[in-house]
Amino acid sequence: MSDGTATTKTDLDVRLEKHRVELTGYCYRMLGSSFEAEDAVQDTMVRAWRSYDKFEGRSSLRSWLYRIATNVCLDMLTAGSKRARPMDLTESTPLAQAALSPRPDHTWLEPVPDSRVLPTTDDPAEAAVAKESVRLAFMAALQQLPPKQRAVLILREVLAWRASEVAELLGTSVASVNSALQRARATLAEQQQPGAEAAVADPLDEEQQKLLDRYVAAFEGYDMTALTALLHEDAIMTMPPFDLWLTGAGDITGFMTTLGAPCAGSRLVPVQVNGLPGFAQYKPDPEAGGFTPWAVQVLEISGGRITGFHCFLDTKRWFPLFGLPLHLEAEADEVEQGV
């Protein structure tokens, strides 16, 4: 390879990399999996790098990358494959019948750090749409759409592409794109997705921040009375990979003081996840001391209450993804108190 070609390829790497975050966001919305999204983007980058000599420049580099990424995602979405939340699969379980039954990883809609899928923008409206479009309820709704309708809806409604641009990308007609969008909108309108009413300001307003502060104090203190006051009467708690989900403050706090009792004394570290407030939960480690990873929590809030409380428990996967340590040391005053 000549020096000139090497320089061109190096420049191409830089140009491709500029699109990584937005492409990851697109693939995540398509696939519902943070890890599959990163694999899809890596495959897209490799394909683009290998075939760049054939890129004729009739469209922008960005459009060309989205075409490749769409084809990669459509290939990955085998017939009938769609990710879900526990409430998409089973009925709510009363606390008295609660049982922890895991399902395989590929069953579940996965959480994702905001930084991996939300490009920085100076446009507040654009930022708000991007955040809303990776929230768990919207992601779950997307999973109900056939793959091509999913792509059309994301490109048109989230990324604001023109119908003609989407038609060119998919190799179809504008009429076909408009029809697919109409069907996708109708499907989403028919669904009552739990969590869809979540109203989170960006950035958090003063009342929402106070609610989160009270939540941290209540959870770390394992104060069920205080926690009950923060939960909506119809609040939902989920715990993938278990398919159990609970409804109502009574069953949620009841679970936390029975099967969930080992979480007493936990510590919470704020994280930005799926366009929503969240926390990395570390519970006490009786063997090594300090605290060990237990869950990535995603909170949905509306009307001054917590309406959704979603705990993703596969910490060996999630904590590295969020750049979180796999152990927290106890602070000096906790050691002295024997906490």
Side-chain angles (χ1 to χ4, degrees):
M1 184 181 287
S2 68
D3 290 344
T5 305
T7 301
T8 301
K9 291 296 187 183
T10 301
D11 176 62
L12 177 60
D13 286 340
V14 173
R15 293 173 65 201
L16 293 177
E17 200 61 32
K18 289 179 180 177
H19 298 281
R20 181 175 293 275
V21 173
E22 65 169 308
L23 286 172
T24 305
Y26 175 62
C27 294
Y28 174 67
R29 295 178 186 100
M30 285 290 291
L31 301 170
S33 163
S34 40
F35 293 103
E36 287 185 1
E38 295 204 343
D39 289 345
V41 172
Q42 194 56 37
D43 191 0
T44 297
M45 296 298 190
V46 170
R47 293 190 191 189
W49 203 90
R50 288 176 175 169
S51 59
Y52 185 70
D53 292 343
K54 300 175 185 176
F55 173 52
E56 298 175 354
R58 287 182 295 184
S59 62
S60 68
L61 177 65
R62 180 173 181 258
S63 298
W64 184 59
L65 288 172
Y66 269 92
R67 182 182 297 115
I68 298 172
T70 300
N71 289 332
V72 170
C73 289
L74 293 176
D75 288 344
M76 292 174 71
L77 288 167
T78 54
S81 67
K82 56 184 180 182
R83 302 251 172 183
R85 301 173 299 170
M87 53 275 212
D88 302 322
L89 302 177
T90 64
E91 295 297 321
S92 177
T93 305
L95 178 60
Q97 300 170 19
L100 298 178
S101 305
R103 296 202 189 192
D105 289 341
H106 63 74
T107 306
W108 303 114
L109 182 63
E110 296 179 351
V112 71
D114 287 359
S115 60
R116 300 241 178 179
V117 295
L118 298 178
T120 54
T121 175
D122 295 327
D123 184 340
E126 185 179 318
V129 168
K131 278 197 168 188
E132 289 170 6
S133 69
V134 294
R135 290 181 182 168
L136 296 175
F138 185 75
M139 288 292 302
L142 284 177
Q143 295 294 301
Q144 303 305 312
L145 300 176
K148 285 195 175 179
Q149 283 187 31
R150 201 179 304 176
V152 168
L153 185 87
I154 296 166
L155 290 165
R156 292 282 284 120
E157 305 247 303
V158 177
L159 300 176
W161 284 41
R162 294 191 298 271
S164 58
E165 294 173 321
V166 178
E168 184 179 354
L169 181 147
L170 293 175
T172 187
S173 67
V174 169
S176 177
V177 167
N178 288 336
S179 176
L181 179 60
Q182 188 174 13
R183 293 196 303 274
R185 284 172 173 167
T187 300
L188 264 58
E190 290 170 0
Q191 297 180 42
Q192 293 293 325
Q193 285 290 340
E197 75 287 348
V200 183
D202 182 28
L204 295 175
D205 63 34
E206 185 178 356
E207 288 303 312
Q208 290 171 345
Q209 189 57 59
K210 285 180 179 177
L211 175 65
L212 292 183
D213 292 343
R214 294 201 304 272
Y215 168 75
V216 170
F219 194 96
E220 292 189 342
Y222 232 56
D223 183 340
M224 295 301 122
T225 301
L227 190 59
T228 297
L230 304 178
L231 293 172
H232 189 276
E233 61 181 9
D234 296 324
I236 287 173
M237 178 181 182
T238 68
M239 293 163 286
F242 302 116
D243 58 14
L244 170 74
W245 62 285
L246 301 167
T247 305
D251 276 5
I252 291 173
T253 56
F255 178 89
M256 291 173 67
T257 54
T258 53
L259 291 174
C263 290
S266 290
R267 292 291 172 267
L268 299 181
V269 177
V271 293
Q272 294 180 307
V273 51
N274 285 84
L276 292 163
F279 297 93
Q281 178 194 344
Y282 292 82
K283 71 174 186 176
D285 187 340
E287 296 180 3
F291 300 89
T292 191
W294 183 246
V296 170
Q297 301 180 358
V298 185
L299 301 187
E300 293 165 335
I301 57 182
S302 180
R305 291 287 185 272
I306 295 168
T307 56
F309 173 53
H310 307 290
C311 304
F312 294 88
L313 303 182
D314 192 351
T315 54
K316 289 182 180 178
R317 300 174 78 216
W318 305 131
F319 276 53
L321 183 70
F322 281 80
L324 294 162
L326 294 177
H327 184 79
L328 281 187
E329 296 296 339
E331 296 179 4
D333 59 340
E334 292 173 332
V335 174
E336 290 174 5
Q337 295 169 19
V339 175

